[in-house]
């Protein structure tokens, strides 16, 4: 059986709800297919911007952990150079972006190719962001619980602070979502995603506190040990 919210309900000791993985899958396939068609012109423009700004390759690909910690390849439009410092280490993300690619990231146009991963069943439109397998494994039981649902293009952590949050805060928000996932929560996250794109990232202290309290009650003191990327 494919991991879904019913597994999370059992793992977190929560009462069962009417949330349905199959319903979500049907809805996101319909929405994902429609968005692929509608966004083709936008993806073409994004590809041109990346080509002019950075040249080839147009795409950045990397192995990430999906539901059940199954590894798949995620693709995004490339938005950063490989510029390195004197020590050979990659420079900070902001220093490797151009003005144009920074705007693509701000608007999340670079993530449009992930719609194909949604249609393939590797990702959902809404869910915890896909992370490298080593990172998820480093979270221990928290990582396994986080992987009970498919990773998403946007998620609860992304609309409640995203890059402004610590790793521990992101985990708390991700696990709160896993335990409370429903089609209605997904719709709310999609609407909040549009708000975040328009107004920028802001930490919602109330939602963050609720998630932290939830994690404290259910994690047995576990904390993530690796940086989320």
């Amino acid at each position: 059986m494919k991991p879904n919210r019913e597994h999370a309900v059992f793992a977190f000791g929560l009462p069962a709800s009417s949330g349905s993985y199959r319903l979500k899958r049907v809805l996101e396939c319909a929405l994902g297919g429609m968005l692929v068609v509608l966004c083709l012109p936008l993806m073409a423009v994004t590809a041109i911007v990346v080509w002019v700004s950075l040249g080839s390759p147009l795409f950045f690909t990397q192995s990430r952990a999906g539901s059940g910690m199954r590894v798949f390849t995620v693709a995004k439009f490339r938005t950063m150079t490989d510029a390195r410092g004197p020590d050979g280490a990659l420079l900070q993300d902001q220093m490797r972006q151009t003005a144009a690619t920074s705007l693509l990231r701000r608007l999340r146009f670079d993530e449009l190719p992930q719609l194909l991963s949604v249609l393939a069943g590797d990702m959902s439109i809404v869910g915890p962001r896909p992370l490298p397998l080593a990172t998820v494994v480093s979270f221990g039981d928290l990582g396994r619980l986080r992987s009970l649902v498919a990773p998403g293009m946007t998620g609860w952590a992304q609309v409640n602070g995203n890059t402004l949050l610590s790793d521990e805060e992101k985990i708390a928000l991700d696990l709160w979502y896993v335990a409370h996932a429903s089609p209605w929560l997904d719709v709310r996250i999609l609407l909040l995603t549009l708000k975040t794109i328009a107004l920028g990232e802001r930490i919602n202290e109330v939602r963050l506190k609720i998630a932290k309290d939830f994690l404290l009650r259910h994690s047995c003191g576990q904390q993530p040990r690796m940086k989320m990327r």
Side-chain angles (χ1 to χ4, degrees):
M1 183 183 297
K2 196 162 186 174
N4 56 39
R5 186 184 184 279
E6 281 65 37
H7 291 77
V9 167
F10 175 79
F12 287 117
L14 296 175
S17 78
S18 59
S20 168
Y21 168 80
R22 291 181 180 178
L23 174 60
K24 176 176 179 175
R25 181 66 187 143
V26 170
L27 292 175
E28 69 187 12
C29 281
L31 178 59
M34 180 177 66
L35 288 175
V36 166
V37 174
L38 293 176
C39 291
L40 281 176
L42 184 55
M43 285 191 275
V45 171
T46 301
I48 293 173
V49 172
V50 173
W51 177 266
V52 172
S53 300
L54 302 177
S56 62
L58 295 179
F59 298 99
F60 167 81
T61 60
Q62 190 176 58
S63 295
R64 297 292 173 99
S67 62
M69 302 178 77
R70 180 178 60 85
V71 176
F72 71 101
T73 299
V74 68
K76 301 170 58 176
F77 282 110
R78 192 164 68 97
T79 57
M80 292 186 286
T81 69
D82 293 325
R84 299 175 182 271
D87 59 354
L90 287 171
L91 297 176
Q92 294 181 350
D93 290 357
Q94 294 82 352
M95 300 177 65
R96 295 189 288 131
Q97 301 172 36
T98 68
T101 61
S102 178
L103 179 61
L104 293 179
R105 290 173 65 90
R106 167 75 173 77
L107 298 175
R108 303 193 183 183
F109 290 173
D110 60 316
E111 298 183 359
L112 291 176
Q114 294 176 21
L115 287 169
L116 299 178
S117 294
V118 173
L119 295 180
D122 293 324
M123 290 180 62
S124 291
I125 292 179
V126 177
R129 290 295 293 148
L131 298 174
L133 179 61
T135 301
V136 177
V137 169
S138 75
F139 298 155
D141 288 340
L142 299 186
R144 284 186 284 276
L145 289 172
R146 187 182 185 276
S147 298
L148 288 173
V149 299
M153 295 181 63
T154 186
W156 196 232
Q158 282 62 54
V159 298
N160 285 299
N162 198 21
T163 60
L164 305 178
L165 300 169
S166 68
D167 296 344
E168 291 78 9
E169 290 169 337
K170 290 178 183 178
I171 280 288
L173 289 161
D174 285 342
L175 292 180
W176 187 93
Y177 170 81
V178 170
H180 298 85
S182 72
W184 312 117
L185 178 57
D186 286 356
V187 170
R188 183 184 180 191
I189 290 173
L190 290 175
L191 294 175
L192 287 171
T193 298
L194 296 177
K195 178 181 178 181
T196 300
I197 291 174
L199 302 180
E201 295 175 347
R202 299 177 183 177
I203 296 177
N204 187 299
E205 297 291 352
V206 174
R207 296 176 196 149
L208 181 57
K209 183 179 187 306
I210 291 172
K212 285 181 175 180
D213 290 344
F214 171 81
L215 180 58
L216 184 62
R217 293 195 304 269
H218 294 89
S219 68
C220 300
Q222 296 185 61
Q223 294 293 334
R225 296 184 297 276
M226 284 185 65
K227 181 176 178 58
M228 298 172 71
R229 296 190 292 272

